[in-house]
Amino acid sequence: MLMFENEAIMKILIVGGGGREHALALTVKKSPLCKELICAPGNPGTALLGKNFPADMSDPQSILAVALAEKVDFTIVGPEIPLVAGVVDLFNDNGLTIFGPTAAAAALEGSKAFSKAMMEKYQVPTALHQTFTDLDSALAHLKANPAPVVVKASGLAAGKGALVCMTDDEAVAAVESMLGADAQFGEAGKTVVIEEYMEGEEASIFAVSDGQNYVLLASAQDHKRAYDGDEGPNTGGMGAYAPAPLVDDALLNQVCEEIIEPTLIGMQKEGIPYVGVLYVGIMLTKEGPKVVEYNCRFGDPEAQVILPLYKGDIVQLLLDASNDNLQKHPKNPPVEGSAAIVVLASDGYPGDYEAHKEISGIDRAEASGAQVLHAGTTLGADGKLLSAGGRVLGVVAQDENLKLTLEKAYAALKEIHFQGCFYRQDIGQKGLKNV
Ligand code: AMP
Ligand code: GLY
């Protein structure tokens, strides 16, 4: 076991290349424990903080190759794909220190059939559900359980595998799209979870765990739908803010007792202790908080707002989690002030969109007091910054309260331009109602 406590000697690798990884890079770079930062694959934003190296997120060997060649001391993994593919197992086998769950533990996100079975076994509150692998049984279930229902591809589907069906016709179409002949969700949709529709407000809770102990980070609220008023298709997330005023101390205690602790204990009992960030999406229903989903990593864009609110040294925290050494950290460190992110996306996202549009105004936005994070950008041959993804940039602001924070973020955002840019105008409005 490698320990680097209080020694600024570490070369740190961040795995991933989106807005979450740019946020991780900024936070890690500020740590006195970080001597040198590299990213794989990174993006033009992380390139300003450390060198980027190519790597294939679905091929853990390509990530290990970077860590070995660069003599990396500590690796922090952003996205779920390498975690579910076993990057942590591979690093452990090679004696390298890495933050994140093993493939077996990452199944909490990688397989909704597994996560639902765990919640059932360890009595974690969630929507009533049933799992299917054949079309006829799933259709028969829909006959007996009319809409609204939610039909979910069990495997990873880039955040697009949960279909909320308000009519029976939609539910039948959803099941057919997964279990029917053309299997539109590929392998991910060959096992389908059909669950009860839950009504309520959603929030995201983050617990960094060493397998046994855990430390809570700020709660957050994401905005998954593409358009204002929570209209339009689900996206990876169009904006977020933290902390979520909805999540008061009483609710947080209830989430710890009824959800986080039984989940961590359950994973220990199964022999697959959960080391990493356990990100729990909850629905605050009339019967109390229930799990919508588990994720095995930091949220994107939630990481961009919870990381700057953590007052301690994030590298020390993640290193202690990786080294089974979290017991010395307070479980619920205080969170002061507020942070928000508004995502600038390419017109058409989450569907088809045009890329390679020139971006201007980042300097002016940052001069006004915000931080601009790269999510889907690239450098053109002439060195100009171009859009290169659905979610292109995130404008992050921090201030003493949510209202001031949102004003700062939106004022900065007005400075940034690229052709076909769109963003939600109502990020954080739900939070202002709950203040
Ligand atoms: P998931 O991929 O499971 O996080 O689901 C994506 C989104 O679909 C969630 O953030 C919710 O807004 C919605 N959703 C998922 N499951 C349910 C449910 N059982 N009831 C109501 N909405 C849900
Ligand atoms: N913001 C949603 C996610 O990271 O899954």
Side-chain angles (χ1 to χ4, degrees):
M1 184 164 72
L2 295 170
M3 300 294 280
F4 297 95
E5 220 162 325
N6 301 325
E7 285 182 83
I9 56 162
M10 281 198 290
K11 183 164 183 179
I12 299 177
L13 164 63
I14 291 176
V15 177
R20 166 184 48 209
E21 288 74 28
H22 191 182
L24 276 166
L26 276 169
T27 312
V28 165
K29 184 85 185 186
K30 287 185 194 140
S31 165
L33 294 176
C34 177
K35 184 185 68 173
E36 193 181 342
L37 175 75
I38 63 171
C39 296
N43 64 35
T46 66
L48 303 172
L49 302 164
K51 199 163 176 227
N52 288 339
F53 291 83
D56 174 355
M57 291 300 95
S58 55
D59 175 12
Q61 287 288 353
S62 75
I63 303 167
L64 178 69
V66 174
L68 290 174
E70 289 302 310
K71 300 194 167 48
V72 163
D73 298 303
F74 183 41
T75 299
I76 300 167
V77 185
E80 64 278 17
I81 289 177
L83 293 168
V84 171
V87 71
V88 169
D89 310 67
L90 184 65
F91 272 56
N92 287 343
D93 289 348
N94 283 272
L96 297 183
T97 308
I98 184 166
F99 176 74
T102 58
L108 276 185
E109 174 168 1
S111 164
K112 290 199 194 282
F114 171 76
S115 68
K116 283 293 191 183
M118 282 295 293
M119 286 186 259
E120 200 159 20
K121 185 163 175 187
Y122 293 98
Q123 294 171 348
V124 175
T126 187
L128 293 172
H129 64 279
Q130 234 167 298
T131 300
F132 299 92
T133 50
D134 95 281
L135 182 60
D136 291 343
S137 330
L139 291 175
H141 176 83
L142 289 181
K143 278 227 159 65
N145 297 274
V149 294
V150 183
V151 177
K152 296 185 176 182
S154 175
L156 290 181
K160 294 174 191 154
L163 304 178
V164 178
C165 306
M166 300 312 284
T167 67
D168 291 337
D169 285 350
E170 280 170 15
V172 168
V175 162
E176 282 175 345
S177 74
M178 295 180 192
L179 292 174
D182 55 346
Q184 287 169 30
F185 288 76
E187 275 307 311
K190 294 221 162 128
T191 300
V192 167
V193 173
I194 302 179
E195 63 180 45
E196 154 200 34
Y197 174 77
M198 299 186 286
E199 224 159 317
E201 212 172 320
E202 285 179 70
S204 307
I205 310 290
F206 300 88
V208 173
S209 177
D210 63 4
Q212 194 175 358
N213 309 287
Y214 65 94
V215 174
L216 294 169
L217 299 175
S219 60
Q221 260 187 322
D222 190 9
H223 297 66
K224 283 191 204 285
R225 301 295 190 107
Y227 313 129
D228 286 5
D230 290 336
E231 300 284 339
N234 266 332
T235 69
M238 294 297 293
Y241 64 93
L246 173 75
V247 184
D248 58 18
D249 285 348
L251 176 57
L252 198 55
N253 281 338
Q254 197 179 358
V255 170
C256 289
E257 279 170 25
E258 295 177 9
I259 297 174
I260 293 174
E261 287 161 22
T263 302
L264 294 177
I265 290 169
M267 294 296 279
Q268 282 169 39
K269 286 194 174 151
E270 298 298 313
I272 37 176
Y274 189 92
V275 179
V277 195
L278 181 64
Y279 157 4
V280 190
I282 60 162
M283 185 81 78
L284 187 54
T285 71
K286 284 199 195 95
E287 298 101 64
K290 294 187 183 180
V291 176
V292 178
E293 62 167 354
Y294 294 113
N295 292 308
C296 63
R297 45 157 179 99
F298 285 106
D300 185 349
E302 292 99 319
Q304 290 88 314
V305 289
I306 63 173
L307 292 170
L309 290 177
Y310 182 67
K311 289 278 168 275
D313 180 344
I314 204 79
V315 175
Q316 186 75 66
L317 181 73
L318 305 187
L319 191 63
D320 285 342
S322 308
N323 285 333
D324 194 10
N325 196 23
L326 269 191
Q327 67 285 351
K328 62 185 181 198
H329 291 262
K331 187 178 105 179
N332 188 8
V335 175
E336 282 162 27
S338 169
I341 176 168
V342 183
V343 170
L344 282 77
S346 301
D347 195 17
Y349 173 75
D352 294 338
Y353 54 82
E354 286 181 27
H356 295 105
K357 305 296 179 193
E358 189 178 336
I359 299 168
S360 64
I362 291 183
D363 291 353
R364 287 194 301 279
E366 294 201 320
S368 81
Q371 178 84 54
V372 180
L373 298 177
H374 294 239
T377 65
T378 189
L379 291 178
D382 52 5
K384 286 193 174 135
L385 187 68
L386 306 175
S387 63
R391 296 191 288 179
V392 177
L393 295 169
V395 176
V396 178
Q398 240 185 300
D399 214 311
E400 63 190 61
N401 62 44
L402 181 58
K403 185 166 175 291
L404 292 174
T405 301
L406 292 170
E407 283 168 9
K408 199 186 261 185
Y410 277 102
L413 177 154
K414 302 248 165 352
E415 303 291 345
I416 300 177
H417 297 281
F418 57 90
Q419 201 191 323
C421 163
F422 89 96
Y423 56 88
R424 277 183 62 162
Q425 315 259 2
D426 64 345
I427 300 303
Q429 293 305 313
K430 273 187 278 191
L432 290 179
K433 273 191 301 184
N434 288 320
V435 174

